[in-house]
Amino acid sequence: MFTAGNTMKKNNSAMTVDADKRVTFDIERIRGDFPILHTMVRGKPLVYLDNAATTQKPLHVIDADQRYYHSQNANIHRGVHYLSEVATFEYEKARGKVKNFINAADNHEIIFVRGTTEAINLVAHGYGRKFLSEGDEVIISAMEHHSNIVPWQMVCEEKKAVLRVIPMNDDGELIIEEFEKMLSPKTKFVSVVMVSNSLGTINPVKEIIRSAHAQNVPVLVDGAQAVSHLKVDVRDLDCDFFAFSGHKLFAPTGVGALYGKAEILDRMDPYQCGGDMIESVTFEKTTFNALPYKFEAGTGNIAGVIGLGVAIDYIRRVGMDEIETYEHELLVYGTGLLSAIDGVRLIGTAKEKAGVLSFVLETVHPHDIGTILDMEGIAIRTGHHCTQPVMKRFGIPATARASLSLYNTKDELDALARGIGKVKEVFHS
Ligand code: C6P
């Protein structure tokens, strides 16, 4: 029987259950895991609301990095010595954690990369360059990050293929009927973002995948902004590829993962060539290693991969469902606060949204908003967020963007609203 404020021990989750059995987040305990959140910035307590750019790291991840370099450092898959075996074991263990986290069928469907950008480039190169030809069509959406536009643009240019774009409405929702109309025998690939980084829209990727598969078209999902906010199950989605970055998931920078269905990865060419991705090399001919090593040329970010595994352990302990519920509550609260400020216009008002509050303020440039908020210790991002076509669609040069994570609080959103009040005072707007 749980009573008020009891910590739930089940699943080791950082949740409490209050008297009426409503599950609530043990936010203080979570914040205690992130040392940087307790620092002062410009004489004020840090309010970190730039989580879509990168998340902060819990002690567990910081400690794992130290532990690795302190007592486990060696190259992997290469040595017969003890340390190499330890490092290889830890690295491969992390692959299993990623596999379980996104519910892939097998460890060899997980390829470690530098991040989402490299993952998409790998697919554009390894799949697009091999299988696209003149007149073929690749479909992306109007709210893609540049990382899911430029690689496809380049491969289409090279192959004389056509890049088509699913439009969106004024709330920042994809117009799915238009996508359905675009699908044709010419369509050879679809690549879409699951959660928009500049609008927060959660796209109906499962529906998109179902329609594309009905025409035998493979689909890549850019999961950069999804994995730390929503439960992802690649087999339930049935996506052919799924890309994400570790650093947006409380892990170190310079590491991420590409999931790909084995049968499709097997048919693709390697992206980069060098050590570890070969089976045999002579001056006449090279044969390639099996999955996933065929796509992991050279020495990767071993410490980063191990840190990614630890970050996944961390968020699984907190609980993905609990994170989703808590962040949604924050989003609703923040949306209410910002909407009530005279002159604030929210950009991205989709019905299905994750924790992104992108906004503009009449007569004040977003960079000025960001600078004044910074003086209050509040970190947000301003600019086009590497989604210039989104800015063009809304007829604005930039937005100010507050992006949420599991450690943010309503108090911090209050601070943001007060900060915007100061901006208005300074600019008499
Ligand atoms: N968005 C943001 O502030 P990398 O840099 O490879 O880890 O992630 C690229 C990327 C790809 N897709 C989406 C949807 C993204 O949001 C990002 C990164 C950051 O919004 C930096 S521009």
Side-chain angles (χ1 to χ4, degrees):
M1 195 51 182
F2 291 109
T3 51
N6 262 3
T7 300
M8 255 171 96
K9 291 284 185 288
K10 226 170 72 186
N11 303 328
N12 209 8
S13 107
M15 305 292 291
T16 57
V17 178
D18 61 23
D20 61 1
K21 300 232 168 70
R22 205 171 60 90
V23 176
T24 51
F25 227 45
D26 190 349
I27 189 67
E28 284 316 312
R29 182 171 150 190
I30 288 170
R31 288 181 69 80
D33 290 334
F34 292 82
I36 207 168
L37 299 180
H38 309 285
T39 51
M40 302 288 281
V41 166
R42 308 198 190 285
K44 307 271 170 59
L46 171 67
V47 174
Y48 188 77
L49 294 170
D50 195 16
N51 296 289
T54 198
T55 54
Q56 299 302 345
K57 317 303 171 201
L59 274 168
H60 314 59
V61 170
I62 299 167
D63 290 349
D65 193 65
Q66 263 216 329
R67 189 165 55 246
Y68 174 75
Y69 286 114
H70 199 272
S71 55
Q72 299 172 329
N73 177 48
N75 211 328
I76 51 167
H77 304 141
R78 289 160 171 84
V80 291
H81 61 82
Y82 175 78
L83 280 182
S84 179
E85 278 179 12
V86 170
T88 303
F89 176 78
E90 294 295 329
Y91 186 90
E92 292 303 331
K93 193 164 83 183
R95 199 188 303 276
K97 291 178 187 180
V98 173
K99 174 225 155 208
N100 291 336
F101 181 57
I102 59 171
N103 195 31
D106 201 294
N107 282 8
H108 67 231
E109 295 182 316
I110 306 299
I111 296 155
F112 287 121
V113 288
R114 279 194 302 128
T116 310
T117 303
E118 188 172 58
I120 297 172
N121 274 275
L122 189 160
V123 178
H125 184 100
Y127 187 93
R129 291 183 78 195
K130 186 162 183 182
F131 295 114
L132 290 179
S133 13
E134 190 167 347
D136 287 346
E137 294 182 356
V138 173
I139 301 180
I140 58 170
S141 88
M143 62 179 80
E144 299 308 320
H145 186 277
H146 297 163
S147 292
N148 201 25
I149 302 175
V150 187
W152 296 112
Q153 214 164 38
M154 288 186 73
V155 81
C156 284
E157 206 172 287
E158 185 186 318
K159 295 290 175 179
K160 299 193 171 55
V162 179
L163 191 64
R164 305 205 55 192
V165 183
I166 313 167
M168 62 177 154
N169 65 22
D170 292 342
D171 287 321
E173 294 166 325
L174 292 182
I175 305 172
I176 297 300
E177 307 80 72
E178 292 299 319
F179 167 64
E180 305 282 352
K181 281 191 225 153
M182 256 174 216
L183 279 170
S184 81
K186 287 185 189 165
T187 314
K188 292 294 151 54
F189 203 88
V190 173
S191 195
V192 283
V193 69
M194 188 160 177
V195 176
S196 155
N197 66 320
S198 48
L199 303 168
T201 312
I202 302 174
N203 286 319
V205 285
K206 196 168 169 177
E207 195 182 328
I208 291 173
I209 293 162
R210 204 184 309 119
S211 301
H213 282 181
Q215 311 269 351
N216 287 323
V217 177
V219 181
L220 181 149
V221 175
D222 172 351
Q225 299 294 345
V227 276
S228 68
H229 308 291
L230 307 173
K231 207 180 232 170
V232 169
D233 181 332
V234 291
R235 276 189 285 171
D236 178 54
L237 288 176
D238 198 25
C239 56
D240 301 276
F241 300 98
F242 187 90
F244 70 92
S245 305
H247 71 99
K248 297 185 197 294
L249 186 72
F250 316 107
T253 50
V255 66
L258 172 70
Y259 157 79
K261 284 182 181 165
E263 76 267 17
I264 198 164
L265 287 172
D266 269 330
R267 288 191 282 123
M268 285 162 55
D269 285 338
Y271 173 47
Q272 291 173 344
C273 302
D276 223 23
M277 53 73 73
I278 58 90
E279 181 186 56
S280 84
V281 177
T282 65
F283 286 116
E284 288 72 40
K285 185 171 171 58
T286 294
T287 56
F288 304 127
N289 205 340
L291 293 177
Y293 310 111
K294 174 175 140 185
F295 293 105
E296 292 183 3
T299 302
N301 183 353
I302 303 166
V305 164
I306 295 169
L308 174 58
V310 173
I312 286 173
D313 290 341
Y314 181 81
I315 63 169
R316 293 195 86 167
R317 268 201 306 277
V318 176
M320 256 351 272
D321 289 337
E322 288 79 1
I323 292 170
E324 212 176 314
T325 307
Y326 178 72
E327 288 185 1
H328 184 71
E329 211 178 288
L330 283 183
L331 176 68
V332 170
Y333 184 74
T335 304
L337 281 180
L338 265 56
S339 310
I341 303 173
D342 202 30
V344 165
R345 179 180 151 218
L346 284 169
I347 305 295
T349 46
K351 280 186 272 313
E352 297 293 327
K353 260 190 87 171
V356 170
L357 292 160
S358 242
F359 63 96
V360 290
L361 192 51
E362 272 162 28
T363 72
V364 187
H365 193 280
H367 289 325
D368 292 326
I369 302 175
T371 306
I372 292 173
L373 290 178
D374 177 54
M375 298 313 291
E376 301 299 311
I378 302 168
I380 61 157
R381 184 171 170 190
T382 61
H384 53 63
H385 318 296
C386 301
T387 56
Q388 285 184 354
V390 172
M391 301 300 123
K392 193 169 170 204
R393 167 67 180 75
F394 284 93
I396 48 178
T399 73
R401 181 191 70 183
S403 51
L404 311 175
S405 188
L406 62 103
Y407 40 63
N408 289 124
T409 63
K410 288 183 182 170
D411 286 350
E412 290 182 313
L413 290 169
D414 290 335
L416 172 68
R418 281 195 302 278
I420 297 172
K422 288 226 163 111
V423 174
K424 288 181 45 141
E425 258 169 56
V426 172
F427 285 90
H428 308 289
S429 85

